[in-house]
Amino acid sequence: MVFAVAASAALCAQGAASSAHAAAPKAAVQGELSSNLRTAIANAVGETDKPIENRFEARRRAREAAEDAVAVLRSEGYYANAVEADVTETEPAQPVVKVTPGERFTLQDPKVEWIAPEPAPGVQLAGEAVMGLANGQAGRAADVLGAEGRIVAAVQKRGYADVVSAERQVIVDHADHSVRPTFRIVSGELVRLDGIELVTPGRTNPDWLRRLAPWKSGDPYDPDDVGELERRLLDTGVYDSVTVALAGKEKATADGLRPVIVSIADRKRRTIELGASYSTSEGAGADARWTRYNVLGRADTLSYYGRASTVDSRLGADLTLPHWRRAQQTLKGQAGLYRVRTDAYDETGVGVRADVERRFGKTSHVTLGGSLDYSETQELQAVTLSSLGRKLVTASVLGAMALDRSDDPLDPKRGWRVEARLEPTLIAGADTLPYLKAQSQGSIYFPFDEKGRTVVAARVKLGSIIGGLIPEVPASRRFYSGGGGSVRGYAYQAIGPRLSDNTPEGGLSLFEGSLELRQKIGKRWGVVAFVDAGSVGSDQIPSGKDLSVGAGIGVRYDLGFGPIRADIAIPLEKRQGDAPFQIYLSIGQSF
């Protein structure tokens, strides 16, 4: 007991000592100030955890704090301020800063002085237009500096790559409490661009790289064009680093054109990726991919891949050619063997396909393509439940678009997305069937606060097969629903019509909807509550009848580039064969 009391006393004494040395303001700020101005001055003065040992130390801190206060006041336009450094009469003495801000000075007659050689009159007008300073506006230093930066940027964008700001002239007039800034801009000569100069050896064909330039020889310099070239190279994914910069004046051609210097570092020639997966509904799986980069010298990617799993096994190769025939356009080709084993059907086949994708921004695109497959399928007939085998040749044309106006591809907090996909298809076998498969999906994100810590997200997906009936359209081409990217709480293919032996039949139409409430907790963690619903119908038009609803909760952990998610969901419309719950793990939000 004595030991416990002594230990408690020691801990209390230690806590008291820690409390005595806790961080505190270096000086108290006194005076009639607005809350914003008081906060700005207090932040500039700062805090310290060192105790004051004597009055000399207190006066030194007060003087330093007064200097910080004056700097803040002047930056906010209070040039007629009165600031007094003082100390209290207490023991120990405490530093005090007494602040009288005075009248706030305002901007008057801001102007630009162009130093020879002057830029073109239109460029001068553009620079003055973005200045953004008005008579009577508070004479804040940050606004003056920002205006100067905008002027320089506007001039540079119009071809004057070497523009700089000379020493600005700012007259502070105490007679009328005004601030009169004059920006002195040295534009230099108009710069016109030549081609691209690749200065690093490597596997990239210089002729191919030069065709990526978003300008023509002789065009005026635009920093956005230089930045766009860098983005085009980085988007290929075959370089470890890319540097793009305008050459100096000394590298100008006889015609006065200046090249753009490109330096690139190739990533390793090849990579090997191995993966494994397990799902209670889809079984075990293993993946392997061998990828070669820049084999053709035009930032291409060639991959050989294999996957073995209970449900979906594949072996094949794909080739990606970025910036094919024009910038921001990618040609993708693929050929492979596949075997699919599901509750609804079995399919073994070989297929080839090619797509051309035209990008608009980072995440929006339009795709045109086609595919040709030969496959052998096994499915059950609806009435007799006897096995039906088909040998099919399937030719499809693809037209797709994706428009993304959300703020993040993996963790959206605001904005919206729209996707649409049309696949005219011709199936030849014992019979010939042409049909159109159409799908569309939209999602929207509403933040409840500026930082998006609380978000409501909603998704709707529709699908339709037009031109065929259930017996005619092979089971492998029908719609199914259920699973992590569909309706959580149900296994893959668990939603929709079933045969008399409980085998999923699939359908000609699809409806899915999701509603999520996402809440961030702390810096890394988050929680989610969600409801998903879906239906698969035998009619060609989605009706939403016979909805299957799943609900659940999940956790998110932010990895920096996006969240990893873990969800658990239960089926609210449980049928024979449905598990009591499903668990999902993946990267990124569910939609």
Side-chain angles (χ1 to χ4, degrees), residues 351-366:
V352 294
R353 63 204 66 239
D355 299 328
V356 176
E357 182 180 273
R358 176 71 174 156
R359 286 203 163 271
F360 302 92
K362 288 186 177 180
T363 52
S364 300
H365 60 265
V366 173

Side-chain angles (χ1 to χ4, degrees), residues 95-215:
V96 174
V97 177
K98 299 177 181 178
V99 179
T100 303
E103 184 176 343
R104 197 174 202 177
F105 285 42
T106 58
L107 293 173
Q108 299 293 332
D109 303 324
K111 59 184 179 180
V112 180
E113 177 185 335
W114 302 99
I115 299 176
E118 297 180 0
V123 176
Q124 295 183 30
L125 291 174
E128 292 164 1
V130 300
M131 186 164 41
L133 302 179
N135 289 337
Q137 179 180 334
R140 299 179 66 249
D143 293 341
V144 173
L145 294 174
E148 185 175 73
R150 289 191 296 273
I151 295 168
V152 170
V155 174
Q156 188 178 63
K157 180 167 177 58
R158 286 157 179 80
Y160 293 83
D162 303 316
V163 59
V164 295
S165 57
E167 184 176 358
R168 78 188 75 85
Q169 183 182 62
V170 180
I171 298 175
V172 178
D173 192 336
H174 286 257
D176 61 0
H177 298 92
S178 66
V179 178
R180 289 179 165 81
T182 299
F183 303 102
R184 305 174 69 242
I185 306 298
V186 184
S187 65
E189 299 288 350
L190 178 67
V191 175
R192 296 189 179 276
L193 295 177
D194 194 16
I196 295 173
E197 183 178 335
L198 180 60
V199 297
T200 49
R203 302 192 298 271
T204 299
N205 185 337
D207 292 334
W208 173 81
L209 189 149
R210 292 187 185 101
R211 291 197 293 269
L212 292 185
W215 67 84

Side-chain angles (χ1 to χ4, degrees), residues 71 289 383 409 436 438 499 558 590:
R289 178 176 288 266
V383 178
L436 173 65
L499 303 179
D558 189 355
S590 56

Side-chain angles (χ1 to χ4, degrees), residues 277-328:
S277 62
Y278 178 78
S279 168
T280 54
S281 60
E282 299 181 20
D287 298 84
R289 178 176 288 266
W290 181 42
T291 303
R292 301 182 65 192
Y293 300 101
N294 222 354
V295 177
L296 305 177
R298 42 108 56 243
D300 51 281
T301 302
L302 175 63
S303 295
Y304 304 95
Y305 61 88
R307 173 174 174 77
S309 74
T310 307
V311 173
D312 189 348
S313 299
R314 295 177 182 269
L315 181 67
D318 57 49
L319 175 66
T320 301
L321 302 179
H323 308 301
W324 180 71
R325 299 184 67 87
R326 62 182 297 178
Q328 303 294 69

Side-chain angles (χ1 to χ4, degrees), residues 437-466:
K437 190 173 187 178
Q439 301 178 71
S440 63
Q441 177 172 285
S443 56
I444 192 166
Y445 312 92
F446 295 100
F448 278 79
D449 57 279
E450 185 176 347
K451 293 184 178 180
R453 296 185 63 82
T454 304
V455 176
V456 169
R459 174 187 73 98
V460 173
K461 182 177 182 179
L462 301 173
S464 177
I465 295 176
I466 302 170

Side-chain angles (χ1 to χ4, degrees), residues 529-546:
F530 58 85
V531 176
D532 296 340
S535 69
V536 174
S538 300
D539 298 328
Q540 294 181 349
I541 304 301
S543 63
K545 295 179 181 178
D546 300 321

Side-chain angles (χ1 to χ4, degrees), residues 225-509:
D225 286 343
V226 176
E228 174 62 21
L229 175 60
E230 185 169 277
R231 282 189 293 273
R232 290 177 180 181
L233 291 170
L234 287 171
D235 285 347
T236 64
V238 305
Y239 303 112
D240 281 336
S241 66
V242 175
T243 303
V244 181
L246 178 68
K249 297 178 182 179
E250 70 281 359
K251 289 204 170 185
T253 67
D255 297 330
L257 306 181
R258 284 162 64 175
V260 171
I261 306 299
V262 174
S263 175
I264 54 179
D266 291 307
R267 67 181 299 174
K268 292 182 178 180
R269 289 180 178 270
R270 55 188 65 87
T271 59
I272 296 177
E273 302 170 64
L274 301 175
S277 62
Y278 178 78
S279 168
T280 54
S281 60
E282 299 181 20
D287 298 84
R289 178 176 288 266
W290 181 42
T291 303
R292 301 182 65 192
Y293 300 101
N294 222 354
V295 177
L296 305 177
R298 42 108 56 243
D300 51 281
T301 302
L302 175 63
S303 295
Y304 304 95
Y305 61 88
R307 173 174 174 77
S309 74
T310 307
V311 173
D312 189 348
S313 299
R314 295 177 182 269
L315 181 67
D318 57 49
L319 175 66
T320 301
L321 302 179
H323 308 301
W324 180 71
R325 299 184 67 87
R326 62 182 297 178
Q328 303 294 69
Q329 183 167 277
T330 301
L331 173 64
K332 299 178 180 179
Q334 185 181 68
L337 307 170
Y338 55 88
R339 187 192 68 180
V340 180
R341 299 286 185 266
T342 71
D343 292 339
Y345 62 88
D346 293 342
E347 182 178 33
T348 302
V350 57
V352 294
R353 63 204 66 239
D355 299 328
V356 176
E357 182 180 273
R358 176 71 174 156
R359 286 203 163 271
F360 302 92
K362 288 186 177 180
T363 52
S364 300
H365 60 265
V366 173
T367 303
L368 294 175
S371 63
L372 183 65
D373 290 81
Y374 171 79
S375 63
E376 297 181 0
T377 67
Q378 292 286 335
E379 59 188 84
L380 294 181
Q381 299 187 74
V383 178
T384 65
L385 296 183
S386 60
S387 178
L388 173 63
R390 307 193 196 194
K391 294 182 179 180
L392 305 172
V393 176
T394 305
S396 297
V397 176
L398 170 66
M401 60 80 65
L403 186 60
D404 190 341
R405 292 294 181 267
S406 65
D407 60 341
D408 191 294
L410 291 177
D411 190 14
K413 298 178 178 63
R414 50 178 52 83
W416 51 269
R417 297 172 180 170
V418 175
E419 300 175 12
R421 185 182 182 94
L422 295 175
E423 294 178 87
T425 302
L426 177 65
I427 294 179
D431 299 304
T432 299
L433 174 68
Y435 66 86
L436 173 65
K437 190 173 187 178
Q439 301 178 71
S440 63
Q441 177 172 285
S443 56
I444 192 166
Y445 312 92
F446 295 100
F448 278 79
D449 57 279
E450 185 176 347
K451 293 184 178 180
R453 296 185 63 82
T454 304
V455 176
V456 169
R459 174 187 73 98
V460 173
K461 182 177 182 179
L462 301 173
S464 177
I465 295 176
I466 302 170
L469 301 177
I470 284 289
E472 301 170 327
V473 178
S476 60
R477 301 288 171 169
R478 299 171 195 164
F479 286 115
Y480 299 91
S481 186
S486 175
V487 180
R488 288 162 287 185
Y490 297 86
Y492 175 59
Q493 297 182 337
I495 294 175
R498 299 186 185 183
L499 303 179
S500 59
D501 68 344
N502 209 40
T503 297
E505 184 180 28
L508 301 178
S509 62

